[in-house]
């Protein structure tokens, strides 16, 4: 067999002809059954006229002419018949894909629980069991958030090409193999086959024709040290290729390239999310559906050099050993798998390593997944910031304080358990507490902490840049030069509050960063920089990075979010026609996409087309009547158009819908004061100050409004607090001095 020099996918049959043992392990695995044609052999659900009623909609599953069908609510809400095209997964649940016009496949929101009946399985269930999902909802199975081509396909098939045509809004999605096969991880195998078939090449080609290798170049090995009871690597791990290959799918991330490049850094094609409040608890424990990568990068295991295949067989995907055996590979059982360590009866649930160090969370109603941050239980953090802990997860009848006391009694003084946890800092940063800026800056430069945590600390700093401190400057500059691309990209994005001149000075060099995610972050942050500020060399670098940024968005051209991002980019570059076109494209893809309406209305503000903006915002309120951002935008528009009385209830509603947003409360308070409702304004601002005591804008408003109302003592008190929080802010000092006089 001969193949062209260009790498090509050859298929698992070719791979299995030499790698029979690996192929046998893969057979029947989750990867093998990731996606299959709907046949008698693959469909697990009951299609014998079974029904499920969910919030008044009764769906029926049946067979006809040897095929599988469902009658359920379609895009217009009426019951329609659909044929099942593919199965999607198989345990603990199986979903089903249905073909739609335009090359789309949609994932049905009713799934089959494939667990044994004794465990509650062998039934149909809805993925959103406790909430109605009407056909107008983006989460409805016919909507954009259940679209297989974008949401699922890339990680469930091999050599997936989405092939979306923006002009026609259609897909021509293709794949080499329907499931996750050999080359999904190892890359196209044609050169490897050619190497194997050529004796001359076999003796000289050290790469063996492979596009990437998972072997660590340091050739380190794990060696169990009986003295300390844990394994150490003989040589530190030098490569993260395996982890980053797995992370392509086992992470919550955004695509920033239209096709995956085997062997390149993950951040050349994907941008993993940080420890976002919607997805992670403040201490980094899993909250939303984030998969494993973001958690594992926090772990001490990752820091020590553990990688995926140390615990999981990469072909069968099963654990390397049963029970505590997988942990016992590196942690001496005689020391750790004992009652003296875990303080539970042997073989009990509490004696299982994973139950304490990798607690679970359930997704998709029945899918139980473990947290891969592999952490020590910290009930003290539950007491301090409300995060979960494994002890209380089992002992629900006991308080977190009880759990903390038990741990203290069992283990006594333990530096790892008593040291301040980064969760305290991230929690303070999320809540905007006084002093959080200094703690975040210190965390960002602490090389002993996980890089994803340091990057998250940087991402939280911009809210404090009204009073920039030397510590913050150090954190920004250090982050921009960090060895880790995740940290560098976060540092670039955190420059949002700074002026174009300041941004160019520090982020300009990163336009030529070796990693794509950093380059496009630099392009985005430098979009407002006027062309006349750039040297010829900088202009060339920026043009190249801009092209990469645009390509990164077009990798998700089928999603309205990508075009909103492009619209904002063009707006910052003072290209209003291109910005409007991008927002209109987003609305063509999804006429109900509210963020596009809000951004387009803001563009119309700049273009002095307030009437068109108001029309858009009122349309957005009909779609999402409880959207705080829409109320805020409309309220500000009414203020600008001299309709203050009409604006007040709209601004009030914005502040009610998102009480955590200090800006909304500030604007509402100032608007109240401007109408003479000073007492009410002060009340609104005091409540906002209690929620966000470090918000300088709210404090300044309290000081000035109190002063103008004749409350000199109150005004001085607020101004003194303002200066304590922002000692280097000359305007704060000037305000306090004027009040003292």
């Amino acid at each position: 067999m001969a193949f062209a020099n260009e790498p090509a996918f050859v298929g698992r049959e070719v791979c299995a002809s030499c790698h029979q043992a690996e192929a046998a392990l893969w057979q029947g695995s989750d990867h093998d059954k990731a996606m299959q044609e709907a046949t008698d052999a693959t469909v697990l659900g009951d299609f014998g006229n079974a029904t499920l009623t969910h919030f008044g909609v009764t769906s029926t599953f049946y067979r006809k002419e040897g095929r599988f069908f469902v009658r359920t609510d379609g895009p217009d809400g009426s019951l329609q018949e659909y044929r099942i095209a593919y199965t999607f997964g198989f345990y603990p649940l199986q979903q089903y894909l249905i073909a739609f016009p335009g090359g789309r496949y949609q994932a049905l929101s009713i799934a089959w629980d494939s667990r044994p009946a004794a465990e509650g399985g062998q039934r149909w269930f809805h993925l959103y069991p406790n909430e109605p999902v009407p056909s107008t909802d983006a989460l409805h199975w016919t909507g954009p958030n259940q679209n297989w081509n974008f949401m699922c396909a890339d990680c469930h098939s091999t050599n997936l090409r989405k092939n979306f045509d923006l002009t026609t809004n259609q897909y021509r999605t293709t794949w080499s193999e329907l499931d996750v096969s050999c080359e999904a991880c190892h890359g196209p195998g044609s050169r490897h086959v050619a190497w194997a078939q050529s004796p001359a090449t076999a003796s000289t080609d050290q790469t063996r024709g492979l596009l990437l290798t998972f072997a660590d170049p340091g050739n380190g090995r794990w060696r169990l040290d009986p003295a300390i009871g844990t394994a150490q690597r003989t040589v530190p791990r030098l490569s993260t290729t395996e982890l980053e290959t797995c992370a392509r799918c086992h992470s919550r991330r955004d695509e920033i390239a239209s096709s995956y490049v085997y062997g390149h850094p993950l951040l050349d094609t994907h941008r993993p999310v940080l420890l976002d409040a919607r997805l992670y608890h403040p201490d980094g424990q899993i909250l939303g559906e984030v998969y494993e990568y973001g958690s594992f990068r926090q772990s001490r295991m990752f820091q020590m050099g553990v990688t995926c295949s140390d615990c999981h067989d990469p072909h069968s995907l099963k654990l390397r050993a049963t029970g505590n055996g997988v942990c016992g590979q590196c942690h001496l059982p005689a020391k750790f798998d004992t009652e003296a360590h875990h303080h539970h009866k042997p073989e009990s649930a509490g004696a299982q390593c994973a139950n304490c160090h990798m607690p679970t969370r359930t997704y998709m109603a029945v899918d139980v997944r473990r947290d891969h941050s592999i952490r020590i239980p910290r009930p003290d953090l539950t007491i301090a910031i409300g995060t979960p802990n494994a002890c209380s997860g089992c002992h629900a009848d006991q308080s977190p304080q009880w759990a903390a006391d038990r741990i203290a009694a069992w283990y006594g003084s333990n530096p790892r358990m008593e040291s301040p946890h980064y969760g305290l800092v991230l929690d303070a940063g999320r809540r905007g507490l006084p002093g959080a800026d200094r703690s975040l800056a210190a965390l960002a430069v602490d090389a002993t902490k996980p890089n994803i945590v340091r990057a998250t600390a940087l991402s939280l700093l911009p809210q404090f840049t009204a009073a920039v401190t030397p510590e913050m400057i150090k954190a920004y500059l250090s982050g921009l030069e960090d060895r880790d691309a995740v940290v560098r990209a976060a540092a670039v994005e955190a420059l949002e509050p700074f002026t174009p001149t300041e941004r160019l000075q520090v982020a300009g060099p990163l336009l030529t960063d070796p990693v794509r995610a950093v380059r496009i972050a630099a392009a985005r942050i430098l979009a407002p920089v006027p062309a006349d500020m750039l040297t010829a060399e900088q202009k060339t670098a920026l043009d190249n990075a801009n092209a990469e940024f645009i390509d990164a968005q077009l990798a998700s051209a089928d999603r309205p979010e990508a075009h909103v991002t492009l619209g904002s980019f063009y707006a910052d570059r003072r290209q209003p026609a291109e910005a409007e076109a991008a927002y209109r494209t987003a609305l063509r893809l999804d006429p109900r996409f509210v963020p596009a309406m809000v951004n387009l209305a803001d563009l119309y503000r700049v273009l002095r087309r307030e009437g068109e903006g108001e029309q858009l915002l009122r349309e957005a309120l009909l779609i999402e009547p409880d959207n705080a951002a829409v109320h805020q935008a409309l309220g500000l528009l009414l203020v600008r158009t001299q309709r203050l009385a009409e604006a007040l209830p709209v601004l009030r509603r914005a502040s009610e819908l998102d009480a955590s947003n200090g800006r909304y409360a500030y604007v509402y308070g100032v608007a109240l004061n401007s109408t003479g409702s000073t007492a009410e304004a002060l009340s609104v601002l005091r409540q906002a100050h209690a929620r966000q005591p470090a918000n300088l804008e709210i404090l300044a408003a309290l000081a000035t409004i109190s002063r103008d109302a004749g409350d000199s003592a109150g005004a001085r008190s607020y101004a003194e607090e303002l200066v304590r929080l922002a000692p280097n802010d000359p305007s704060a000092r000037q305000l306090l001095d004027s009040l003292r006089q």
Side-chain angles (χ1 to χ4, degrees):
M1 184 183 299
F3 294 93
N5 188 49
E6 185 68 22
F9 288 82
V10 300
R12 65 172 168 266
E13 291 81 4
V14 174
C15 301
S17 65
C18 291
H19 302 282
Q20 297 175 7
E22 290 79 4
L25 288 168
W26 170 86
Q27 196 77 35
S29 69
D30 283 7
H31 282 177
D32 178 20
K33 296 186 177 182
M35 183 171 167
Q36 303 173 95
E37 292 184 3
T39 67
D40 289 342
T42 62
V43 171
L44 302 178
D46 178 5
F47 280 82
N49 291 316
T51 62
L52 177 75
T53 299
H54 179 260
F55 285 90
V57 176
T58 298
S59 302
T60 305
F61 300 84
Y62 56 95
R63 297 185 61 162
K64 185 173 67 174
E65 299 175 354
R67 295 179 174 179
F68 301 87
F69 289 85
V70 60
R71 179 173 292 278
T72 191
D73 56 331
D76 62 356
S78 66
L79 292 179
Q80 300 178 44
E81 179 182 84
Y82 298 98
R83 183 171 75 85
I84 305 299
Y86 297 100
T87 67
F88 209 59
F90 78 106
Y91 190 87
L93 71 154
Q94 185 175 71
Q95 285 187 268
Y96 299 95
L97 299 181
I98 293 169
F100 268 66
R104 285 169 166 75
Y105 285 92
Q106 298 293 133
L108 198 65
S109 292
I110 300 174
W112 178 254
D113 186 341
S114 54
R115 299 174 302 164
E119 298 178 14
Q122 301 302 298
R123 65 187 176 97
W124 290 106
F125 71 99
H126 201 283
L127 294 175
Y128 305 98
N130 301 317
E131 57 184 297
V133 187
S135 59
T136 54
D137 196 312
L139 289 175
H140 189 261
W141 76 272
T142 62
N145 288 350
Q146 306 297 346
N147 170 246
W148 166 85
N149 308 72
F150 174 81
M151 298 294 296
C152 325
D154 190 45
C155 289
H156 279 253
S157 298
T158 301
N159 188 28
L160 196 289
R161 293 290 182 266
K162 186 166 53 176
N163 295 331
F164 177 72
D165 187 335
L166 182 58
T167 59
T168 62
N169 194 18
Q170 293 186 336
Y171 294 94
R172 291 177 290 102
T173 305
T174 62
W175 55 79
S176 294
E177 295 182 86
L178 193 56
D179 50 18
V180 181
S181 195
C182 315
E183 293 165 292
C185 302
H186 293 280
S190 60
R191 288 182 179 175
H192 180 59
V193 173
W195 168 86
Q197 294 177 343
S198 172
T201 305
S203 63
T204 59
D205 186 356
Q206 298 301 310
T207 69
R208 297 181 292 172
L210 297 168
L211 296 184
L212 73 164
T213 177
F214 299 131
D216 190 74
N219 293 319
R221 296 290 183 271
W222 289 105
R223 181 176 295 162
L224 194 58
D225 185 343
I228 61 174
T230 58
Q232 307 290 320
R233 284 186 66 81
T234 56
V235 176
R237 187 176 294 280
L238 301 178
S239 170
T240 58
T241 298
E242 180 186 295
L243 174 64
E244 295 199 356
T245 300
C246 297
R248 172 191 173 191
C249 291
H250 289 268
S251 66
R252 187 71 173 261
R253 78 288 188 276
D254 298 317
E255 293 183 10
I256 57 172
S258 57
S259 59
Y260 181 67
V261 184
Y262 288 90
H264 282 219
L266 177 66
L267 270 72
D268 270 351
T269 53
H270 298 81
R271 179 70 201 280
V273 300
L274 301 178
L275 306 184
D276 184 275
R278 299 171 297 109
L279 301 173
Y280 292 90
H281 289 286
D283 65 347
Q285 291 188 76
I286 57 176
L287 176 61
E289 192 173 13
V290 291
Y291 312 103
E292 292 78 29
Y293 174 77
S295 299
F296 188 60
R297 281 206 56 163
Q298 300 174 59
S299 72
R300 186 174 175 84
M301 309 298 113
F302 171 73
Q303 309 300 326
M304 298 299 292
V306 174
T307 191
C308 310
S309 62
D310 286 323
C311 300
H312 300 269
D313 181 276
H315 299 102
S316 71
L317 311 182
K318 296 178 180 179
L319 289 171
R320 293 285 189 184
T322 58
N324 288 344
V326 68
C327 300
Q329 297 178 113
C330 292
H331 300 274
L332 192 66
K335 179 176 181 179
F336 294 100
D337 196 2
T338 65
E339 196 166 349
H341 174 70
H342 52 62
H343 296 275
H344 289 78
K345 292 181 180 179
E347 307 301 324
S348 68
Q352 301 303 303
C353 309
N355 287 343
C356 290
H357 299 289
M358 301 179 69
T360 62
R361 190 173 180 87
T362 301
Y363 301 95
M364 303 181 80
V366 300
D367 193 359
V368 179
R369 304 179 198 170
R370 292 199 178 275
D371 190 321
H372 277 62
S373 54
I374 316 177
R375 62 184 63 232
I376 291 175
R378 293 287 299 262
D380 59 308
L381 291 181
T382 307
I383 298 168
I385 57 176
T387 52
N389 73 85
C391 307
S392 299
C394 285
H395 298 278
D397 58 333
Q398 299 288 350
S399 70
Q401 186 62 59
W402 171 87
D405 291 343
R406 299 291 288 184
I407 286 181
W410 288 343
Y411 301 108
S413 178
N414 186 321
R416 284 185 64 193
M417 298 178 67
E418 295 174 357
S419 62
H421 194 278
Y422 55 77
L424 298 170
V425 178
L426 297 184
D427 176 71
R430 289 179 178 184
R431 295 163 59 194
L433 298 182
D437 53 341
R438 294 185 293 274
S439 299
L440 288 168
L443 177 58
V445 298
D446 186 349
T448 67
K449 297 298 187 289
N451 290 334
I452 193 171
V453 171
R454 297 169 51 229
T456 302
L458 283 165
S459 75
L460 292 170
L461 272 179
Q463 64 185 304
F464 300 100
T465 48
V468 178
T469 65
E471 293 83 4
M472 293 169 66
I473 294 296
K474 177 184 176 182
Y476 279 114
L477 296 178
S478 177
L480 292 168
E481 298 178 351
D482 200 89
R483 294 179 59 185
D484 190 279
V486 171
V487 177
R488 294 200 303 279
V492 173
E493 292 168 350
L495 297 174
E496 184 72 35
F498 294 92
T499 67
T501 301
E502 292 167 333
R503 296 184 194 184
L504 179 61
Q505 182 179 358
V506 294
L510 281 88
L511 290 169
T512 56
D513 192 274
V515 177
R516 180 184 176 95
V518 181
R519 295 194 299 271
I520 66 174
R524 181 66 190 92
I525 208 70
L526 295 177
V529 175
D532 58 9
M533 289 178 57
L534 303 170
T535 66
E537 184 178 359
Q538 287 174 326
K539 186 178 186 307
T540 299
L542 182 57
D543 287 345
N544 292 336
N546 284 343
E548 286 190 301
F549 176 83
I550 294 169
D551 286 345
Q553 309 317 308
L554 294 180
S556 300
D558 48 340
R559 297 291 294 188
E561 297 94 333
H563 298 282
V564 169
T565 300
L566 277 175
S568 299
F569 172 73
Y570 287 129
D572 281 349
R573 286 178 55 80
R574 300 173 184 82
Q575 297 175 264
E578 289 83 353
E580 182 175 7
Y583 294 141
R584 287 296 178 188
T585 297
L587 291 171
R588 175 170 64 83
L589 293 173
D590 183 357
R592 298 174 58 84
F593 193 65
V594 167
M597 298 177 180
V598 174
N599 280 35
L600 183 54
D602 190 60
L603 178 67
Y604 287 157
R605 171 188 62 82
V606 176
L607 298 176
R608 301 181 183 278
R609 295 160 60 181
E610 295 277 31
E612 294 173 79
E614 181 175 350
Q615 183 179 348
L616 277 167
L617 293 173
R618 294 195 181 280
E619 182 182 347
L621 281 182
L622 294 176
I623 298 170
E624 294 185 14
D626 292 333
N627 188 309
V630 179
H631 282 276
Q632 180 73 3
L634 179 59
L636 290 172
L637 183 149
L638 293 171
V639 170
R640 291 193 302 272
T641 54
Q642 308 300 312
R643 290 178 283 172
L644 190 55
E646 191 179 348
L648 282 176
V650 182
L651 293 172
R652 181 184 69 243
R653 186 60 179 149
S655 65
E656 292 170 347
L657 287 168
D658 188 358
S660 65
N661 192 315
R663 179 67 179 173
Y664 291 177
Y666 167 79
V667 170
Y668 178 47
V670 170
L672 280 169
N673 186 61
S674 66
T675 63
S677 302
T678 300
E680 188 177 355
L682 287 169
S683 175
V684 166
L685 291 169
R686 288 187 191 113
Q687 293 176 49
H689 175 54
R691 291 191 298 269
Q692 289 189 313
N695 189 302
L696 305 184
E697 193 173 46
I698 292 172
L699 270 172
L702 281 167
T704 55
I705 293 174
S706 298
R707 176 198 62 195
D708 296 343
D711 181 8
S712 299
R716 281 197 302 273
S717 176
Y718 289 126
E720 288 168 354
E721 191 173 352
L722 185 64
V723 170
R724 282 197 300 272
L725 290 172
N728 300 318
D729 185 352
S731 61
R733 173 61 62 182
Q734 184 178 6
L735 175 62
L736 178 59
D737 290 344
S738 68
L739 289 168
R740 283 174 172 170
Q741 292 171 3

